[in-house]
Amino acid sequence: MAELKPTYGNFSLRGQVVWKDRQNAYVEDVTSNGLEYRRIRFGVKTSEKNIVQVELFGAKFDEITLQHIESKKRDKKVKYGEHYDLPEGYQLFMPVRIGLEQDENGNNIKKEMISYDAVKYINDNLKDGDTVFVFGSLRFSEYVNRNGETVPQVTFEIRGIYHTSIKYDDEEFEGQSIFDQQIILKSTQKKDNKLIVNSYIVTDNKGNFTTHNFYIDIDKYKKFARNVHTKLKFGTILNVEGYIHHTVEEKEVETDDAWGESVKPKVITNIIKELEITAAQKPSQEDIGYYKEEDFVKQDETEDNPFADDSKDDDNDWGDSPDSLDNVDFDDDPFNSDDDPFA
């Protein structure tokens, strides 16, 4: 059996902060074993119908890991509190990068913090209506709902946030809601005009995994969808990218008139969450079918090919990336460096 290796992913959002002032958006508490922690959650509205919730969690540990700037070795630890005055030649390991305050020239002031400190700082310096750029990591998991059904979910964990120069209401503003992710192909199936790409996500270096469904728009990327469906085997390692769709839908709900009818209609908000794949790196021969079914839980699957045979390859056979992470202009990013996963 092959060793399951973690599959990593990133996201990038540009939009307006919402839901910052709602109840429990910011929490300070203590775990059952006495560990202090902080958590913040809010939404980033990238368009009038797309809102992605992001979050940051940080626990207060007694020791903070430092990384040597030149060697990149994590060979030093200091007590909490001592990390505010770093030893020469050292930096925080995997800090959260923040730019929510400006200098006298209106430029973002760069700060790097551990997650525990960053949560409070973001809460104190961010408000609804701010226009921000947020980047971070995708964390895939699943939970069992009240009906006993297993439901997959994605958490968008903040690794950096800063104010942008162009505000949400400006005519020149362009929202952004994109991701990249390494997946392990499990199966594909056609549903209406979509190719559902059922994938394994390996969540840690211990080999734990979950499944998640992505989709490819067949109308827009027919050859790309056909390639994924017909040319790739179970267990193929594939690096994909695309759009984060968290479509907001509001609808009025009928209420029991036993106590009359309110003049204010009851409206519920529902968010349809989807990850659309628009492109993939063409996998190597080694990556095609790299994992076998015995590496995961075996399941019976039936696949039907919804595409006509077409063996000719075109330039867009592996998708279209008009707004990919590789093509994002980060000239206004104060944190553009070798350590930045989006640099």
Side-chain angles (χ1 to χ4, degrees):
M1 295 178 63
E3 178 185 358
L4 296 179
K5 299 178 181 179
T7 53
Y8 297 109
N10 307 294
F11 74 88
S12 170
L13 301 169
R14 184 183 291 112
Q16 185 179 63
V17 175
V18 296
W19 305 339
K20 166 66 172 53
D21 294 331
R22 66 181 177 179
Q23 187 177 10
N24 294 325
Y26 175 74
V27 174
E28 291 190 20
D29 207 340
V30 180
T31 65
S32 57
N33 59 0
L35 190 64
E36 297 178 40
Y37 73 88
R38 296 167 177 160
R39 188 198 69 215
I40 189 169
R41 290 174 177 168
F42 57 90
V44 179
K45 182 169 70 171
T46 64
S47 69
E48 290 305 301
K49 290 294 184 180
N50 195 73
I51 300 177
V52 181
Q53 178 176 274
V54 297
E55 71 174 62
L56 180 60
F57 175 93
K60 184 179 180 181
F61 296 105
D62 293 335
E63 293 185 325
I64 309 299
T65 300
L66 304 184
Q67 183 181 47
H68 195 272
I69 295 175
E70 293 185 359
S71 69
K72 304 300 181 182
K73 293 182 178 179
R74 304 189 294 275
D75 57 2
K76 193 175 187 63
K77 292 185 178 183
V78 296
K79 294 181 179 180
Y80 182 88
E82 295 180 1
H83 67 291
Y84 296 123
D85 186 17
L86 295 174
E88 185 177 352
Y90 282 87
Q91 62 187 2
L92 297 173
F93 174 60
M94 293 187 65
V96 180
R97 296 173 179 177
I98 305 174
L100 297 180
E101 294 182 275
Q102 284 72 44
D103 60 21
E104 62 274 10
N105 297 318
N107 298 318
N108 288 331
I109 300 173
K110 175 182 176 180
K111 295 180 181 290
E112 294 185 350
M113 302 181 183
I114 62 171
S115 296
Y116 181 76
D117 295 339
V119 173
K120 188 176 190 308
Y121 180 87
I122 292 172
N123 184 64
D124 292 343
N125 291 276
L126 190 69
K127 64 182 184 300
D128 280 342
D130 287 351
T131 306
V132 295
F133 176 80
V134 185
F135 64 87
S137 305
L138 303 178
R139 178 164 57 85
F140 292 82
S141 58
E142 58 187 31
Y143 68 95
V144 178
N145 64 18
R146 64 185 61 185
N147 297 322
E149 302 166 328
T150 300
V151 180
Q153 64 179 356
V154 186
T155 302
F156 297 85
E157 297 183 333
I158 300 170
R159 298 309 309 165
I161 178 172
Y162 63 89
H163 281 131
T164 62
S165 56
I166 300 177
K167 305 308 178 184
Y168 182 84
D169 294 330
D170 290 352
E171 291 183 0
E172 298 179 357
F173 173 81
E174 292 185 5
Q176 187 174 95
S177 183
I178 58 180
F179 77 96
D180 64 57
Q181 176 68 42
Q182 185 176 84
I183 65 174
I184 301 170
L185 187 64
K186 181 182 178 183
S187 64
T188 58
Q189 65 182 68
K190 182 181 177 183
K191 184 177 181 181
D192 299 325
N193 67 328
K194 297 178 180 179
L195 181 72
I196 307 301
V197 182
N198 186 237
S199 308
Y200 287 112
I201 305 293
V202 182
T203 57
D204 57 31
N205 56 15
K206 297 179 181 179
N208 292 311
F209 62 88
T210 186
T211 60
H212 197 86
N213 284 347
F214 302 76
Y215 81 88
I216 301 172
D217 188 318
I218 296 174
D219 293 338
K220 290 191 294 184
Y221 310 110
K222 181 176 181 180
K223 290 185 178 180
F224 172 42
R226 185 197 64 242
N227 275 344
V228 172
H229 187 76
T230 63
K231 295 185 178 182
L232 302 183
K233 302 176 182 178
F234 175 98
T236 294
I237 301 172
L238 193 63
N239 294 303
V240 302
E241 61 182 85
Y243 293 111
I244 305 166
H245 298 297
H246 281 203
T247 307
V248 179
E249 292 186 344
E250 293 184 346
K251 63 179 180 179
E252 294 186 13
V253 180
E254 294 184 3
T255 57
D256 190 344
D257 64 355
W259 292 98
E261 182 177 358
S262 172
V263 295
K264 298 179 181 179
K266 182 178 180 181
V267 178
I268 62 171
T269 300
N270 182 42
I271 299 180
I272 302 173
K273 301 177 180 180
E274 296 178 300
L275 295 177
E276 178 190 3
I277 298 174
T278 64
Q281 295 179 16
K282 186 175 181 178
S284 66
Q285 288 300 315
E286 181 183 2
D287 286 340
I288 296 177
Y290 182 87
Y291 292 106
K292 306 303 179 185
E293 292 191 24
E294 54 264 28
D295 296 323
F296 304 91
V297 176
K298 294 183 179 180
Q299 296 183 12
D300 294 328
E301 299 169 358
T302 302
E303 300 179 7
D304 296 319
N305 182 3
F307 306 102
D309 183 27
D310 186 349
S311 59
K312 183 179 179 180
D313 287 342
D314 285 347
D315 291 340
N316 67 342
D317 281 3
W318 292 97
D320 187 14
S321 181
D323 194 22
S324 72
L325 294 178
D326 290 336
N327 296 330
V328 174
D329 182 5
F330 288 97
D331 289 343
D332 62 345
D333 185 348
F335 308 126
N336 196 1
S337 71
D338 293 338
D339 293 331
D340 190 334
F342 292 93

